[in-house]
């Protein structure tokens, strides 16, 4: 059925018309009439007319589709001319994809105040996005799967993609959350239709593309603690076949932490980012996109608040917005920084990629070539005290090259859909870690560990689906991945004490992953599916502070069998949407950052493998449009994890033994049957009221909220070894003049001004929490054309 429509970027919805040769028209109805008609549509869903009405109400904004959704059930060729009212819900095509992906628009990110990747955890169920020890390294954990990898010596369990390009080093994607079109957060094993294998899922960012018409805009955002964020873009044609887009962002200020010892503010942003795109369409079958980006980040970092100090020294007051740190002149000289340097980043990221697609008669060919580079200089005070027991400086130089070739089906309505391709990744990395242990009784020196890591990965994948009778579809995918890593030239220098050289080490993996599933869609408004998949993640090394060769023993790849069943439904079209899923993961060789105790030295972090564990849970989302101007969204996640075969150092017991005897002795405990400590309950949602007080003017106001359950920092962790739960509430109010092309917004995050902690960690003698931001009140003003 042909469709003509226009997209409303303000609401992320379509105002469209479904056209046919007949002249029958349906008048607009009141909301109450529409509600009654919605119930009738459920009854009529099995009939031709019911399917046609549901299709009219589920018009979808034009955007790239998930491979599983490309071949949604075809519309019935009924000769009906329907004037469709604006749909309340977005991403209707995704309702026919056999997944539990959370899909967000760029406007969703703006409304919720998303500036960095860590803010995404407040928008999806069973998702944690945490800075590792307050650094620029970020750990994604989906459905309890994810590893806190400070040194980035392994591929993340949850891969980040930007415009279909995989980022194998987590920090390389920092500073990229501006001029975003949409975000897909997909849990579960992935890598069967693109990219590389992953055990936990993927987070895919889609940036806005060049447009054939002239568009542009600038937004100024000013908030508490002198924070300013300026974003802008311009997009338009260069010629009939060539268009461009340039977007930029700069963020400054916002440091809400205060150090009473140094009388300084901590955490001020100082970041500038630029992205440029060219889009060339020489003919109707070919598209070539060239993208380049640059990020310069000199932002301050948030310092932890200490909970336990094993040296027994007095802890500073654990007050909201306060933190303590100290940089010794001797350590400053060693790392080449000024003695008054605050905990901060000094990072540069840049990259370029070219994506070309050509549609042949039988297949669509896609080529992706990408180069990424990072230069990281990072000073953090990880013991969170004025003592010189855990000051850290990290220097990283890393480069990544990716080449991917992909073939896929052309006709989205064909019964047989298929994708196949291959990806190659090469990473070269050099790292230096400097530590100040001057006040640590067992050490008392400055230390440096340096090494190189070489890595290359080659993956091949294939995915097929076939539409069967009785509204069934069977699908399956396969991924083979070979990964090879070498740790070269690792050396640790304890200044004025000794120098230690370690033997090179290597690890490789050669494994298959895949999925198979069945999908059933008896009506346009209801779909259910079951699938089984095998996830895989390569192994790696622990290398940030090495004193014995045993620390460099590579940890093994992890793999899991994931079972999932779910449904997607719209029982009352344009009024109520219900989606849900249940999952069970049979987890093998789970990669885990535990403790390694050297008797004459103390505890050190070392990655190890948990032979056997399990995770299970539920997820659900509710979209409700109960009144003409009211829109409600609620996401719910519940998960539980349990160790089934796991023995490790008991950090709490080992620390207690040291406090009593002043000797480091590892105490091992069996954690068989112990809860793994992942956050059990996550909730997030929004309530939005939207209406037009004047012609061509719109007011939108709303609340947003999120809850995250407690999280254990060590196996079986309780007390200070368990991060507390928290609840956050936000609000916003926007006035938009659609014809004059301007808007003004006032907003607040953490409206109740709760004290909460977003993550935690351990450095030498201190266990600490990283606090979250206090109440932030701000305003945005923007113009566009």
């Amino acid at each position: 059925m042909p469709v003509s429509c226009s997209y409303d970027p303000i609401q992320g919805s379509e105002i469209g018309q479904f056209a046919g040769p007949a002249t029958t028209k349906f008048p607009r109805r009141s909301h109450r009439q529409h509600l009654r008609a919605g119930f009738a549509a459920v009854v009529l869903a099995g009939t031709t007319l019911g399917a046609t009405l549901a299709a009219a109400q589920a018009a979808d904004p034009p955007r790239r589709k998930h491979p599983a959704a490309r071949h949604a059930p075809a519309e019935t060729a009924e000769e009906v001319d329907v004037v469709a009212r604006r749909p309340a819900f977005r991403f209707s095509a995704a309702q026919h994809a056999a997944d539990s992906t959370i899909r967000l628009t760029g406007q969703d990110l703006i409304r919720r105040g998303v500036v960095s990747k860590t803010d995404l955890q407040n928008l999806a169920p069973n998702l944690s996005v945490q800075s590792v020890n307050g650094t620029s390294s970020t750990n994604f954990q989906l459905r309890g799967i994810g590893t806190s990898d400070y040194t980035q010596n392994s591929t993340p369990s949850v891969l980040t993609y930007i415009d279909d390009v995989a980022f194998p080093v987590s920090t390389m994607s920092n500073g990229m959350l501006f001029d975003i079109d949409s975000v897909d957060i997909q849990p579960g094993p992935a890598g069967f239709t693109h990219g590389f294998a992953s055990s936990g899922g993927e987070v895919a960012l889609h940036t806005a593309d060049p447009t054939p018409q002239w568009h542009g805009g600038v937004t100024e955002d000013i908030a508490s603690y002198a924070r300013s964020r300026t974003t802008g873009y311009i997009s338009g044609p260069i010629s009939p076949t060539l268009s461009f887009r340039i977007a930029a962002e700069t963020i400054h200020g916002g440091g809400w932490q205060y150090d009473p010892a140094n009388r300084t503010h901590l955490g001020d942003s100082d970041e500038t980012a630029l992205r440029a795109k060219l889009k060339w369409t020489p003919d109707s079958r070919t598209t070539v996109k060239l993208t380049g980006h640059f990020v310069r980040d000199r932002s301050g970092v948030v310092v932890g608040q200490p909970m336990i100090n094993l040296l027994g020294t007095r802890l500073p007051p654990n007050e909201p917005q306060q933190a303590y740190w100290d940089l010794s002149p001797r350590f400053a000289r060693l790392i080449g920084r000024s003695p008054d340097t605050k905990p901060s980043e000094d990072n540069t990221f840049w990259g370029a990629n070219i994506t070309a697609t050509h549609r042949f008669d039988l297949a669509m060919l896609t080529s992706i070539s990408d180069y990424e580079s990072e230069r990281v200089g990072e000073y953090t005070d990880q013991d969170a005290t004025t003592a010189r027991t855990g000051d850290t400086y990290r220097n990283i130089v890393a480069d990544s090259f990716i080449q991917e070739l992909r073939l896929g089906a052309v006709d989205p309505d064909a019964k047989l859909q298929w994708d196949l391709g291959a990806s190659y990744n090469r990473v070269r990395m050099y790292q230096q870690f400097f530590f100040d242990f001057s006040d640590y009784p067992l050490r008392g020196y400055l230390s440096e560990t340096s090494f190189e890591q070489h890595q290359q990965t080659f993956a091949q994948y294939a995915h097929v689906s076939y539409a069967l009778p009785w509204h069934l579809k069977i699908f399956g995918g396969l991924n083979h991945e070979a990964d090879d890593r070498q740790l070269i030239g690792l050396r640790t220098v304890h200044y004025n004490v000794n120098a230690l050289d370690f033997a090179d080490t290597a690890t490789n993996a050669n494994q298959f992953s895949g999925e198979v599933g069945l999908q059933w869609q008896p009506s346009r408004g209801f779909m259910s599916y079951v699938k089984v998949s095998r996830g895989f993640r390569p192994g790696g090394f622990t290398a940030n502070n090495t004193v014995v060769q045993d620390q460099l023993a590579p940890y093994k790849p992890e793999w899991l069998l994931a079972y999932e069943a779910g449904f997607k439904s719209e029982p009352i079209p344009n009024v109520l949407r219900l989606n849900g899923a249940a999952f069970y993961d049979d987890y093998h060789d789970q990669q885990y950052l535990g403790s390694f105790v050297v008797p004459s030295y103390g505890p050190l972090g070392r990655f190890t493998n948990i032979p056997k564990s399990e995770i299970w849970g539920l997820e659900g989302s509710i979209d409700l449009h109960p009144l003409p101007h009211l829109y409600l969204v609620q996401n719910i996640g519940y998960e539980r994890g349990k160790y089934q075969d796991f023995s490790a150092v008991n950090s709490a017991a080992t620390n207690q033994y040291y406090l009593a005897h002043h000797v480091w002795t590892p105490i091992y405990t069996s954690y068989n049957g112990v809860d793994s400590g992942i956050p059990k309950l996550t909730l997030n949602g929004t309530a939005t009221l939207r209406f037009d007080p004047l012609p061509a003017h719109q007011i939108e106001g709303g609340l947003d909220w999120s809850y995250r359950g407690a999280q254990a920092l060590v196996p079986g962790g309780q007390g200070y070894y368990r991060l507390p739960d928290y609840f956050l509430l936000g609000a916003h109010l926007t006035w938009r003049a659609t014809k004059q092309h301007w808007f003004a917004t006032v907003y607040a995050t953490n409206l109740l001004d709760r004290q909460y902690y977003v993550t935690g960690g351990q450095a030498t003698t201190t266990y600490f929490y990283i606090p979250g931001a206090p109440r932030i009140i701000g305003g945005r003003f923007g113009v566009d054309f």
Side-chain angles (χ1 to χ4, degrees):
M1 179 178 294
V3 179
S4 62
C5 63
S6 61
Y7 182 63
D8 178 3
I10 299 172
Q11 300 190 29
S13 57
E14 278 183 356
I15 306 172
Q17 177 172 296
F18 289 73
T23 58
T24 305
K25 294 183 180 292
F26 295 89
R28 290 185 181 272
R29 296 168 293 185
S30 70
H31 191 74
R32 180 173 297 178
Q33 290 171 324
H34 183 72
L35 187 64
R36 289 198 297 263
F39 284 104
V42 177
V43 179
L44 294 174
T47 69
T48 301
L49 180 59
T52 305
L53 289 174
Q57 293 166 328
D60 196 42
R63 65 185 300 275
R64 61 177 60 81
K65 294 182 181 179
H66 187 280
R70 294 184 311 197
H71 40 280
E75 306 292 348
T76 305
E78 185 74 15
E79 295 183 357
V80 178
D81 187 7
V82 181
V83 178
R85 71 189 303 274
R86 177 181 294 162
F89 309 130
R90 302 180 296 263
F91 306 117
S92 295
Q95 287 293 101
H96 312 294
D99 61 30
S100 51
T101 300
I102 295 295
R103 294 172 171 86
L104 306 164
T105 68
Q107 283 296 318
D108 292 330
L109 304 188
I110 293 173
R111 290 187 184 102
R112 299 293 298 271
V114 174
V115 177
S116 66
K117 292 183 294 184
T118 55
D119 298 327
L120 291 172
Q121 74 172 2
N122 297 326
L123 277 68
N126 293 330
L127 171 66
S128 297
V129 189
Q130 297 172 314
S131 165
V132 182
N133 288 8
T135 69
S136 60
S137 294
T138 305
N139 171 46
F140 282 84
Q141 187 179 84
L142 261 173
R143 293 181 175 176
I145 300 174
T147 306
S148 182
D149 188 2
Y150 174 43
T151 57
Q152 307 175 85
N153 293 127
S154 181
T155 302
S157 301
V158 179
L159 272 174
T160 299
Y161 287 80
I162 300 180
D163 293 334
D164 295 328
V165 174
F167 280 70
V169 180
S170 68
T171 53
M172 285 182 172
S173 60
N174 287 0
M176 303 285 278
L177 273 169
F178 66 99
D179 201 34
I180 297 295
D181 178 60
S182 63
V183 178
D184 298 339
I185 301 173
Q186 177 186 343
F192 315 124
T193 61
H194 60 273
F196 299 91
S198 64
S199 56
E202 57 188 47
V203 175
L205 309 178
H206 311 291
T207 64
D209 278 338
T211 55
Q213 300 86 24
W214 284 99
H215 292 285
V218 61
T219 299
E220 178 63 34
D221 186 329
I222 299 175
S224 306
Y225 305 99
R227 191 197 73 187
S228 70
R229 183 190 186 202
T230 306
T231 58
Y233 77 97
I234 185 169
S235 177
I238 297 175
S239 73
T241 60
L242 185 65
S243 56
F244 79 99
R245 189 181 189 98
I246 298 175
E249 173 188 70
T250 181
I251 308 176
H252 298 278
W256 49 265
Q257 252 189 348
Y258 178 74
D259 182 354
N262 295 293
R263 297 185 178 181
T264 56
H265 284 276
L266 302 174
D268 277 320
S269 296
D270 184 3
E271 179 181 290
T272 300
L274 177 69
R275 181 186 300 117
K277 281 188 173 184
L278 283 175
K279 182 180 179 181
W280 180 45
T281 53
D283 56 59
S284 60
R285 290 172 172 256
T286 306
T287 301
V288 180
K289 295 179 186 178
L290 175 63
T291 304
H293 66 87
F294 175 85
V295 178
R296 187 74 172 96
D297 185 7
R298 295 182 176 179
S299 300
V301 302
V302 175
V303 177
Q305 293 183 338
M307 299 293 125
I308 303 174
N309 189 334
L310 302 180
L311 289 180
T313 56
R314 184 178 65 85
L315 293 175
N318 185 13
E319 298 181 10
Q321 300 176 228
Q322 283 195 2
Y324 284 67
W325 67 278
D326 180 71
L327 174 62
S328 74
R330 183 181 170 210
F331 190 58
R333 287 193 299 271
L334 176 64
I335 63 177
R337 302 287 290 269
S338 170
D340 60 357
T341 298
K342 301 177 185 178
S344 58
E345 307 286 350
D346 188 0
N347 307 337
T348 302
F349 310 99
W350 67 272
N353 67 79
I354 182 168
T355 300
T357 61
H358 182 78
R359 180 172 59 84
F360 296 95
D361 291 337
L362 298 179
M364 180 78 76
L365 175 64
T366 301
S367 171
I368 301 173
S369 304
D370 177 78
Y371 178 82
E372 301 293 335
S373 180
E374 72 171 21
R375 304 294 184 267
V376 173
E378 178 182 72
Y379 164 56
T380 53
D381 193 314
Q382 295 192 14
D383 60 17
T385 71
T386 55
R388 295 161 186 173
T389 55
D391 292 12
T392 304
Y393 184 80
R394 179 170 64 161
N395 178 53
I396 304 176
V397 177
D399 303 283
S400 169
F401 171 74
I402 286 179
Q403 176 61 53
E404 181 173 356
L405 290 174
R406 185 188 310 159
L407 276 173
V410 175
D411 182 5
D413 297 321
K415 289 186 175 182
L416 177 65
Q417 297 294 316
W418 57 273
D419 294 276
L420 60 89
S423 301
Y424 172 77
N425 176 223
R426 177 184 182 272
V427 176
R428 294 293 182 265
M429 180 185 296
Y430 174 75
Q431 296 199 40
Q432 287 176 292
F433 291 87
F434 296 89
F435 301 93
D436 187 349
F437 298 132
S438 301
D439 293 339
Y440 196 148
L442 296 179
R443 303 173 193 178
Y445 48 68
L446 306 182
S447 172
E448 175 193 354
T449 295
S450 59
F451 62 89
E452 290 184 44
Q453 177 170 294
H454 296 176
Q455 172 230 324
Q456 64 177 2
T457 304
F458 185 47
Q460 313 90 48
Y461 56 83
H463 192 277
V464 296
S465 67
Y466 188 77
L468 301 170
W470 307 293
H471 310 291
L472 294 172
K473 181 167 62 181
I474 189 170
F475 60 90
L478 190 66
N479 179 295
H480 171 261
E481 187 166 294
D483 181 89
D484 182 75
R485 298 167 193 261
Q486 301 90 37
L487 198 64
I488 300 170
L490 191 142
R491 191 168 197 258
T492 295
V493 177
H494 300 140
Y495 287 93
N496 299 322
V497 179
N498 60 22
L500 307 173
D501 293 288
F502 298 92
D504 296 345
T505 185
T507 184
N508 59 72
N510 195 324
Q511 292 201 22
F512 286 91
S513 56
E515 72 171 1
V516 62
L518 182 66
Q519 180 177 341
W520 180 51
Q521 180 132 19
S523 71
R524 182 75 182 180
F526 181 82
M527 184 273 292
S528 62
Y529 66 92
V530 293
K531 64 179 178 180
V532 180
S533 53
R534 186 185 194 271
F536 160 72
R537 180 197 183 198
F541 311 97
T542 310
N544 64 322
N545 178 22
T546 305
V547 296
V548 294
Q549 184 72 38
D550 286 349
Q551 285 180 262
L552 300 181
Y555 50 93
K556 299 184 294 184
E558 67 178 21
W559 64 276
L560 59 90
L561 286 176
Y563 304 85
E564 182 176 335
F567 71 92
K568 296 181 178 181
S569 68
E570 200 163 313
I572 309 177
N574 222 36
V575 175
L576 177 63
R577 175 183 286 179
L578 296 173
N579 294 345
F583 61 91
Y584 175 83
D585 295 335
D586 184 14
Y587 213 168
H588 297 262
D589 292 325
Q590 174 184 350
Q591 294 167 6
Y592 180 81
L593 179 60
S595 291
F596 178 78
V597 179
V598 179
S600 60
Y601 190 86
L604 294 167
R606 185 178 72 169
F607 285 100
T608 186
N609 293 94
I610 300 173
K612 187 76 165 58
S613 57
E614 65 178 359
I615 300 173
W616 64 268
L618 304 169
E619 291 170 350
S621 64
I622 305 170
D623 292 75
L624 182 61
H625 180 35
L627 299 172
H629 305 291
L630 182 61
Y631 302 83
L632 303 173
V633 177
Q634 178 65 62
N635 295 319
I636 304 169
Y638 181 81
E639 59 185 354
R640 296 291 300 269
K642 185 173 68 175
Y643 302 124
Q644 295 174 309
D645 180 10
F646 180 39
S647 295
V649 172
N650 185 321
S651 298
T654 300
N655 293 339
Q656 289 298 320
Y657 187 90
Y658 172 79
L659 290 173
H661 303 90
H662 302 290
V663 175
W664 285 113
T665 300
I667 298 175
Y668 290 87
T669 297
S670 172
Y671 292 100
N672 295 351
V674 174
D675 187 281
S676 61
I678 57 178
K680 294 181 176 62
L681 181 64
T682 54
L683 303 170
N684 53 77
T686 60
T688 304
L689 186 65
R690 187 183 301 130
F691 61 94
D692 302 333
L694 298 171
H697 288 259
Q698 182 185 82
I699 290 180
E700 178 185 296
L703 296 174
D704 58 79
W705 55 86
S706 63
Y707 171 82
R708 174 182 164 82
Q711 176 185 359
L713 300 178
V714 298
Q718 299 293 333
Y720 290 124
Y721 300 99
R722 193 174 191 86
L723 200 68
D725 62 345
Y726 62 84
F727 173 81
L728 299 178
L729 182 68
H732 74 275
L733 179 65
T734 297
W735 184 293
R736 183 182 299 272
T738 55
K739 287 188 176 180
Q740 286 78 29
H741 304 288
W742 62 264
F743 73 89
T745 300
V746 292
Y747 65 88
T749 60
N750 190 8
L751 188 61
L752 304 178
D753 201 22
R754 298 285 183 87
Q755 182 184 6
Y756 66 102
Y757 301 97
V758 292
T759 187
Q762 180 258 335
T764 58
T765 65
T766 306
Y767 281 80
F768 58 86
Y769 294 164
I770 302 291
R775 180 193 295 125
I776 303 292
I777 298 175
R780 284 191 295 268
F781 178 80
V783 295
D784 55 44
F785 64 89

